[in-house]
């Protein structure tokens, strides 16, 4: 006969071992890499890991993207720093940072007064995001917000576009019907491509990436709705203030020697390292 108590214990041990493997497999921690300076300061970075072209997993299972490769290049130039990446949604990233589980968020973070009072931002912009409306590629009836009255628009909850649409709706009659998501462009563009939303407001290079890499039947329309400089955001500590100063110094060097432009062209499909309104 089976020893039930012994069998239960074996199952528990197996489940625990599986849990350890799952936790060990999370993130993109390259701290065991022989090239990493063992005395380097480790900065745990929260990043979505699901949004091309900023932060995503490539066909080989490696975390990459503009934000990720930018920090990797900063590390290469500052061997006293080592960035480890923890994929998670933005809302979860703030919870993790407040709990001390991560030190920084690399996720196209825009400045706002509430966050600036609680966290540190880098001063050098990573890039400038130009946001436009996106619709299915067979539609010609939408080119501006006014065309969306009474229609459905997909909006990421934490985006500045959410604020823009809400402000528009204060006087719109009928108002735009807002579909909220916390999954960023991956979800908003799917909602448009499948006809569940009439439009979304997304960064132009995210739209281009979705068309090119995912074959989504979309197109960007109308004028630029917003130009948004984005940054890295971190805990408000003396240590992270010093880290941010190193990042800013290195970013200036990368901007001057053309590396930042090269990364932008490689991952974003063009040079988005300057404010297009200042040309």
């Amino acid at each position: 006969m089976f020893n039930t108590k012994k069998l239960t214990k074996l199952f528990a041990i197996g489940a625990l071992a599986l849990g350890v493997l799952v936790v060990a497999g999370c993130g993109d921690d390259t701290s065991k890499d022989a090239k990493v300076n063992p005395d380097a300061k480790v900065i745990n970075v929260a990043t979505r890991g699901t949004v091309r072209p900023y932060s995503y997993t490539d066909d080989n299972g490696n975390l990459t993207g503009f934000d990720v490769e930018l920090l990797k290049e900063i590390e290469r130039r500052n061997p006293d720093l080592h960035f480890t990446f923890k994929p998670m949604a933005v809302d979860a990233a703030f919870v993790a940072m407040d709990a001390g589980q991560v030190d920084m968020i690399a996720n196209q973070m825009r400045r706002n007064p509430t966050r600036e009072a609680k966290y540190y931002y880098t001063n050098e912009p990573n890039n400038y995001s130009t946001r436009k409306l996106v619709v299915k590629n067979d539609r010609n009836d939408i080119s501006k917000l006014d065309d969306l009255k009474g229609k459905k628009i997909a909006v990421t909850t934490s985006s500045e576009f959410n604020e823009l649409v809400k402000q528009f709706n204060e006087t719109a009659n009928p108002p735009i019907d807002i579909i909220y998501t916390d999954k960023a462009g991956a979800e908003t563009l799917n909602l448009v491509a499948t006809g569940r939303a009439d439009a979304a407001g997304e960064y132009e290079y995210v739209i281009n990436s979705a068309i090119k890499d995912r074959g989504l039947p979309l197109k960007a329309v109308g004028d630029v709705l917003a130009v948004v400089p984005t940054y890295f955001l971190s805990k408000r500590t003396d240590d992270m203030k010093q880290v941010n100063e190193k990042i800013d110094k290195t970013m200036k060097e990368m901007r001057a020697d053309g590396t930042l432009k090269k990364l932008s062209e490689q991952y974003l499909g063009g040079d988005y390292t300057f404010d297009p309104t200042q040309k």
Side-chain angles (χ1 to χ4, degrees), residues 23-253:
V23 171
C26 291
D28 184 45
D29 189 344
T30 55
S31 58
K32 294 180 181 179
D33 192 320
K35 297 178 182 178
V36 173
N37 176 6
D39 298 321
K41 177 177 177 57
V42 177
I43 300 102
N44 294 310
V45 183
T47 186
R48 276 191 186 273
T50 58
V51 180
R52 288 178 180 266
Y54 314 123
S55 168
Y56 63 95
T57 303
D58 65 17
D59 294 338
N60 296 317
N62 299 314
L63 188 68
T64 187
F66 179 74
D67 287 348
V68 175
E69 298 304 325
L70 181 52
L71 285 176
K72 286 181 180 179
E73 177 62 25
I74 290 170
E75 178 176 327
R76 277 190 282 271
R77 298 180 184 218
N78 295 274
D80 58 334
L81 300 178
H82 176 54
F83 300 100
T84 66
F85 300 95
K86 313 294 180 183
M88 63 184 74
V90 175
D91 290 345
F94 279 103
V95 173
M97 194 156 67
D98 291 344
Q101 296 169 349
V102 299
D103 306 297
M104 176 182 286
I105 301 176
N107 206 76
Q108 298 290 296
M109 304 307 297
R110 63 188 174 89
R111 291 183 181 274
N112 72 41
T114 301
R115 289 176 181 171
E116 285 192 284
K118 188 174 182 180
Y119 307 105
Y120 280 141
Y121 283 89
T122 49
N123 290 318
E124 283 292 307
N126 303 344
N127 61 281
Y128 290 83
S129 303
T130 56
R131 191 180 291 276
K132 300 184 76 172
L133 286 179
V134 55
V135 298
K136 286 192 74 172
N137 59 10
D138 60 353
R139 294 193 68 162
N140 298 305
D141 59 324
I142 297 171
S143 63
K144 55 187 181 298
L145 287 178
D146 202 59
D147 297 330
L148 284 163
K149 290 179 180 178
K151 296 183 175 68
K152 295 180 179 179
I153 193 165
V155 172
T156 301
T157 310
S158 59
S159 71
E160 90 289 338
F161 186 64
N162 178 26
E163 298 166 12
L164 181 67
V165 175
K166 287 196 296 186
Q167 184 177 9
F168 178 84
N169 269 349
E170 289 177 2
T171 56
N173 186 23
I176 300 172
D177 184 7
I178 303 175
I179 302 173
Y180 290 105
T181 175
D182 63 353
K183 297 179 181 178
E187 180 66 14
T188 59
L189 295 180
N190 276 333
L191 288 168
V192 176
T194 56
R196 289 174 288 169
D198 296 289
E202 280 300 334
Y203 297 142
E204 192 169 10
Y205 39 72
V206 173
I207 301 168
N208 293 338
S209 176
I211 296 169
K212 177 183 175 182
D213 300 326
R214 297 164 57 195
L216 294 185
L218 303 169
K219 63 180 179 181
V221 296
D223 296 329
V224 171
L225 297 172
V227 177
V228 184
T230 61
Y231 308 84
F232 296 120
L233 180 147
S234 71
K235 295 189 299 187
R236 200 177 183 85
T237 64
D238 290 341
D239 280 355
M240 288 311 300
K241 182 179 181 181
Q242 293 176 6
V243 170
N244 286 349
E245 288 171 354
K246 287 186 178 181
I247 291 174
D248 282 330
K249 179 176 181 294
T250 307
M251 290 271 287
K252 287 179 180 178
E253 295 170 357

